[in-house]
């Protein structure tokens, strides 16, 4: 189970939410197409294995969602994964997250299979040497928190396009984004610290 999330003292801006496929308040960029995936079911299982530990960002409404579920929809060949935020949990939604605060990183998380055993690997460029490092998931997450990889201490989040599939294999992977808190000038220092705390509280179950 995930660690309990801290209470956040801000309100949701419901007026900016958009409608997608008849779902009230469903941002369009929370529907992730898996049409190009050779094994969309594997990608879905891989994503749900993280049990919602990563915050999800919607650039269309500039929000971060901490509480959500996922659903695989569509016929074979047109699979989509829909991220369904819990809009009733207003305290788990961060508003006014400017698009420019989301930065790409070198960090990927992917499965490896050896002797029938699947393990998760975190790879990324070392901040000090610039060399690519590969670490087991728990060790890699701790390294991210300690600032070992590029961008220093990472505030990880996922958005549309971050769930991918290796072209030569049917193995999915995640490409992480970093939230640059210094660019969130409309937020108070308390709110920025709350985002940092919440991002890592969510990941405690994986460490």
């Amino acid at each position: 189970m995930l660690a309990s999330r801290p209470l956040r003292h801000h309100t949701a801006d419901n007026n900016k939410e958009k409608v997608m496929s008849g779902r009230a308040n469903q941002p369009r960029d929370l529907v992730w197409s898996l049409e190009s995936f050779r094994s969309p079911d594997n990608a879905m299982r891989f994503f749900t294995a993280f049990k919602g530990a990563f915050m999800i960002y919607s650039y269309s409404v500039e929000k971060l969602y901490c509480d959500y579920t996922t659903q695989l929809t569509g016929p074979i060949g047109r699979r989509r994964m829909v991220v369904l935020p819990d809009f009733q949990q207003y305290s788990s939604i961060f508003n006014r997250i400017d698009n420019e605060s989301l930065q790409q990183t070198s960090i990927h998380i992917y499965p490896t299979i050896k002797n029938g055993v699947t393990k998760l690997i975190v790879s990324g460029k070392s901040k000090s040497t610039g060399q690519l490092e590969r670490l087991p998931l728990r060790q890699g997450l701790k390294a991210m928190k300690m600032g070992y990889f590029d961008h220093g201490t990472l505030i990880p989040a996922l958005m549309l396009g971050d769930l991918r599939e290796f072209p030569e294999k049917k193995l999915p992977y995640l490409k992480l984004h970093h939230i640059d808190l210094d660019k969130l000038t409309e937020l108070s220092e308390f709110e920025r610290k709350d985002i940092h705390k919440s991002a890592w509280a969510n990941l405690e179950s994986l460490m």
Side-chain angles (χ1 to χ4, degrees):
M1 298 295 291
L2 292 177
S4 59
R5 300 184 173 98
L7 181 64
R8 305 182 187 95
H9 302 286
H10 51 81
T11 58
D13 180 11
N14 291 325
N15 292 329
K16 290 180 66 178
E17 300 287 8
K18 298 182 179 181
V19 175
M20 177 65 195
S21 301
R23 298 179 185 275
N25 298 331
Q26 180 68 23
R28 295 180 183 276
D29 55 327
L30 295 187
V31 179
W32 298 2
S33 174
L34 303 178
E35 289 184 19
S36 63
F37 285 54
R38 287 184 290 177
S39 184
D41 290 8
N42 280 348
M44 179 73 177
R45 284 192 292 269
F46 172 70
F47 187 86
T48 55
F50 293 95
K51 301 178 182 178
F54 288 102
M55 296 188 295
I56 300 293
Y57 179 66
S58 168
Y59 58 80
S60 65
V61 293
E62 298 187 333
K63 296 181 186 289
L64 276 171
Y65 299 102
C66 298
D67 286 305
Y68 56 88
T69 57
T70 55
Q71 179 179 330
L72 189 65
T73 66
I76 295 176
R78 296 181 58 189
R79 292 290 202 187
R80 297 178 297 172
M81 188 182 80
V82 183
V83 179
L84 300 168
D86 187 346
F87 293 111
Q88 301 302 313
Q89 298 295 326
Y90 299 129
S91 64
S92 71
I93 301 173
F94 289 105
N95 307 291
R96 296 175 293 152
I97 309 299
D98 191 277
N99 292 334
E100 292 186 1
S101 69
L102 270 289
Q103 300 179 353
Q104 293 193 39
T105 74
S106 66
I107 300 176
H108 297 73
I109 302 178
Y110 57 91
T112 61
I113 303 174
K114 186 175 182 179
N115 299 325
V117 178
T118 301
K119 295 183 179 180
L120 294 177
I121 299 296
V122 175
S123 70
K125 291 182 179 179
S126 167
K127 184 179 180 181
S128 59
T129 67
Q131 298 298 312
L132 186 66
E133 300 284 351
R134 297 178 178 85
L135 301 171
L137 180 65
R138 289 185 179 181
Q139 186 178 348
L141 290 175
K142 291 178 181 178
M144 285 165 49
K145 188 175 184 180
M146 294 173 62
Y148 181 79
F149 296 112
D150 56 356
H151 292 87
T153 299
L154 207 71
I155 314 298
L158 297 171
M159 59 186 294
L160 179 66
D162 287 346
L163 175 61
R164 306 180 181 188
E165 186 180 64
F166 288 111
E168 70 279 9
K169 303 176 182 178
K170 294 183 179 180
L171 291 177
Y173 68 96
L174 295 175
K175 180 176 176 60
L176 299 188
H177 273 80
H178 164 64
I179 304 169
D180 186 346
L181 299 180
D182 291 337
K183 292 185 179 296
L184 299 178
T185 56
E186 293 187 16
L187 302 187
S188 67
E189 182 179 356
F190 173 83
E191 289 173 313
R192 292 194 294 269
K193 287 182 178 179
D194 200 12
I195 292 173
H196 186 171
K197 184 187 299 183
S198 298
W200 285 103
N202 291 353
L203 288 163
E204 285 294 327
S205 66
L206 301 179
M207 297 169 61

